[in-house]
Amino acid sequence: MSNSVKIKTALISVFHKDKLEPIVKKLGELGVDIISTGGTKSAIEKMGRSVTAVEDLTSYPSILGGRVKTLHPKIFGGILARRELQSDQDELQQYEIPSIDLVLVNLYPFEETVASGADKASIIEKIDIGGISLIRAAAKNYKDVLIVSGRHQYDGLLALLNEKGGETSLDDRMQYAAEAFNVSSHYDTQIFNYFNTEAQIPAYKISEIQGRELRYGENPHQKGLFFGDFDAMFEKIHGKEISYNNLLDIDAAIHLISEFSETTFAVLKHNNACGLATRPKLLDAWKDALAGDPISAFGGILITNCKLNHETAVEINKLFFEAIIAPGYDKDALEVLKQKKNRIILIQKDVKLAEKLHRSVLNGTLVQDKDLKTETVNDMKTVTKKAPSDNESADMVFANIVVKHSKSNSIVLAKNNQLLASGVGQTSRIDALKHAIEKAEGFGFNLTGAVMASDAFFPFADSVEIAGKAGITAVIQPGGSVRDQESIDYCNDHNIAMVFTGTRHFKH
């Protein structure tokens, strides 16, 4: 049997009727008979093509308000019959079932209906039954049938019809079948996940049908891919291709900046903030963020929650950096930033961030809720004789946000809504503190009156002792150590305010 199949009969059943006319016209030129039903049949007839109604073929009407139309042996027999098997062909002849060589379907928009916030009844009605069955049947019998499972394939189908005059190769049909099972599996995953928000079955199903290969992974010898709709979150208006490491930093940046409502600028490197400041004026926020670590800022990711103006862009342009993210840019600011051809410039769109984290480990996957808890002054329990001042309390809220978004073990030093220094990713908390103090003092900061935030409790009093000697006057930490009292006693003896939040913020 030849691998080539001539399309003689096509079944078309689609929810979205747009972009269909050029295909219908071409099928007409090729002498292909069309079978259809309902709204699709009416749309094709308006295009000037004669159509065989599914109801005429099956001698059975569409029933249950359109829920049952194509689910019939005369339809599925014509799709699933094996051309090389004589017994199948004899049965087609016996029951007067036409062979179907092309199935063109697009499904009810279930995912879009869920996203629209529709009521439950409307969502359930958008679970496609006939369409998904047609896709699976045609894809299973790809040796004989071409399955087109979505509007994204219309251009390819039209090119194929034009190029091969209505014939398809086995390779063509197998490729379309693979894409069809991609569509059907994604569709079923979305339905399961919708139901599982209530059922809570301990099963892990995730599906992303938009993917692209990156230049490489974390290192040049590693292959890297990104699955997701980047364009839904950002408008890229300038710069080179975004890399694997860029994506990790961008993700860290948008989660950090989402915590701030006042004018804020942040600089990130290797997923950690190396500079951050909140100020009434954007230019001052940038300058003070950069001051936090002007060395690490080189080659970093910049992000702000305000529209970027020209005067700030002029100052930023003095630094080499990989990417900048903002909700918008003044025209003259963009003219400055675009002077470097490789510089990535992104506009962040207002999109809700996912609330789950997924991470591959061993031979499986870890899934957890994101750390969405952010402490305010009301969450602070003063455990020392001295209570923090209003300024210290504000700085502790600020520092605690930064430490929450830093790799553990982490210590953050801050003053006047400015990140002075941090020690991140250390195997001991005392090392993280020493590193932070050394950095702050190295960049000329006076730590007198600064606050310290820790992502977890202090197991001993040595950390608050070192911090106090460096000039720290207030400490925020979760508390919970069996030796908390030792730290409290030291703070009481040295006029340091300390508050407990009761919430740990490990980040690994």
Side-chain angles (χ1 to χ4, degrees), residues 317-339:
N317 198 45
K318 297 174 182 177
L319 175 74
F320 167 75
F321 58 91
E322 285 278 311
I324 184 166
I325 309 162
Y329 302 84
D330 287 340
K331 183 178 178 180
D332 51 359
L334 278 179
E335 290 174 355
V336 173
L337 295 175
K338 286 182 177 181
Q339 291 174 9

Side-chain angles (χ1 to χ4, degrees), residues 45 48 83 98 111 156-157 197 276 316 328 336 373 420 439 497:
E45 288 174 333
R83 306 317 192 247
E111 193 173 359
L157 172 62
T197 56
L276 191 143
I316 289 172
V336 173
K373 184 171 177 56
L420 304 185
K439 284 186 66 176

Side-chain angles (χ1 to χ4, degrees), residues 13 70-71 76 105-108 127-139 147 149 180-188 191:
S13 179
T70 57
L71 294 169
F76 281 85
V105 177
N106 61 62
L107 300 171
Y108 290 172
I127 298 177
D128 205 311
I129 303 300
I132 202 77
S133 302
L134 290 169
I135 287 175
R136 290 179 63 84
I147 172 63
S149 51
F181 283 121
N182 182 30
V183 169
S184 66
S185 63
H186 178 77
Y187 196 78
D188 284 340
I191 295 171

Side-chain angles (χ1 to χ4, degrees), residues 28-168:
E29 293 173 2
L30 295 171
V32 176
D33 294 327
I34 296 177
I35 302 170
S36 190
T37 186
T40 306
K41 174 179 174 292
S42 299
I44 294 174
E45 288 174 333
K46 288 179 181 178
M47 298 171 193
R49 277 299 315 274
S50 60
V51 183
T52 299
V54 166
E55 293 84 351
D56 292 339
L57 179 62
T58 63
S59 299
Y60 214 93
S62 171
I63 62 173
L64 306 181
R67 278 190 166 195
V68 181
K69 292 179 286 191
T70 57
L71 294 169
H72 193 281
K74 281 202 171 184
I75 298 298
F76 281 85
I79 296 170
L80 286 165
R82 291 155 289 191
R83 306 317 192 247
E84 79 280 7
L85 195 62
Q86 188 57 47
S87 59
D88 281 10
Q89 297 306 303
D90 291 343
E91 288 188 75
L92 291 187
Q93 186 173 2
Q94 178 184 355
Y95 297 108
E96 299 180 340
I97 300 173
S99 294
I100 296 173
D101 313 298
L102 167 65
V103 174
L104 194 157
V105 177
N106 61 62
L107 300 171
Y108 290 172
F110 176 83
E111 193 173 359
E112 294 86 345
T113 305
V114 172
S116 73
D119 61 86
K120 191 168 187 177
S122 299
I123 290 171
I124 298 303
E125 281 305 306
K126 288 298 184 290
I127 298 177
D128 205 311
I129 303 300
I132 202 77
S133 302
L134 290 169
I135 287 175
R136 290 179 63 84
K140 176 177 180 176
N141 201 25
Y142 72 89
K143 287 180 66 177
D144 302 308
V145 181
L146 180 69
I147 172 63
V148 177
S149 51
R151 289 178 293 173
H152 64 287
Q153 295 178 305
Y154 284 7
D155 290 343
L157 172 62
L158 191 58
L160 187 64
L161 295 173
N162 284 321
E163 179 186 346
K164 297 186 177 181
E167 294 195 0
T168 63

Side-chain angles (χ1 to χ4, degrees), residues 435-447:
H435 182 59
I437 292 172
E438 181 183 353
K439 284 186 66 176
E441 292 177 343
F443 290 121
F445 288 111
N446 181 357
L447 291 176

Side-chain angles (χ1 to χ4, degrees), residues 12-25:
I12 303 178
S13 179
V14 296
F15 180 86
H16 299 286
K17 315 300 189 290
D18 56 303
K19 301 182 180 179
L20 193 59
E21 189 167 4
I23 293 172
V24 169
K25 180 180 178 182

Side-chain angles (χ1 to χ4, degrees), residues 173-334:
R173 298 190 297 277
M174 186 171 183
Q175 180 65 36
Y176 274 78
E179 293 189 29
F181 283 121
N182 182 30
V183 169
S184 66
S185 63
H186 178 77
Y187 196 78
D188 284 340
T189 295
Q190 303 312 309
I191 295 171
F192 169 78
N193 285 335
Y194 171 75
F195 276 86
N196 206 37
T197 56
E198 295 182 14
Q200 293 294 298
I201 297 168
Y204 177 72
K205 297 184 188 297
I206 188 168
S207 176
E208 291 288 352
I209 55 175
Q210 297 190 60
R212 62 179 177 182
E213 187 169 347
L214 305 173
R215 283 178 293 162
Y216 50 80
E218 201 161 6
N219 299 291
H221 63 278
Q222 295 170 266
K223 184 176 180 179
L225 299 101
F226 172 72
F227 294 96
D229 189 359
F230 186 84
D231 293 338
M233 294 198 67
F234 301 99
E235 179 185 351
K236 183 186 174 193
I237 55 179
H238 187 74
K240 64 182 180 180
E241 181 184 348
I242 296 173
S243 72
Y244 182 100
N245 290 328
N246 289 154
L247 289 168
L248 289 175
D249 283 330
I250 290 168
D251 179 73
I254 62 170
H255 282 90
L256 174 61
I257 206 70
S258 70
E259 301 268 16
F260 296 93
S261 57
E262 298 178 1
T263 302
T264 301
F265 224 116
V267 184
L268 287 91
K269 195 76 169 286
H270 296 295
N271 313 154
N272 293 298
C274 57
L276 191 143
T278 297
R279 296 288 182 266
K281 188 176 179 183
L282 185 61
L283 178 61
D284 293 334
W286 160 248
K287 289 181 176 179
D288 287 345
L290 179 63
D293 190 342
I295 296 176
S296 295
F298 183 86
I301 301 289
L302 315 184
I303 188 166
T304 181
N305 56 2
C306 295
K307 188 175 185 180
L308 199 76
N309 55 40
H310 179 263
E311 65 171 352
T312 307
V314 170
E315 288 301 312
I316 289 172
N317 198 45
K318 297 174 182 177
L319 175 74
F320 167 75
F321 58 91
E322 285 278 311
I324 184 166
I325 309 162
Y329 302 84
D330 287 340
K331 183 178 178 180
D332 51 359
L334 278 179

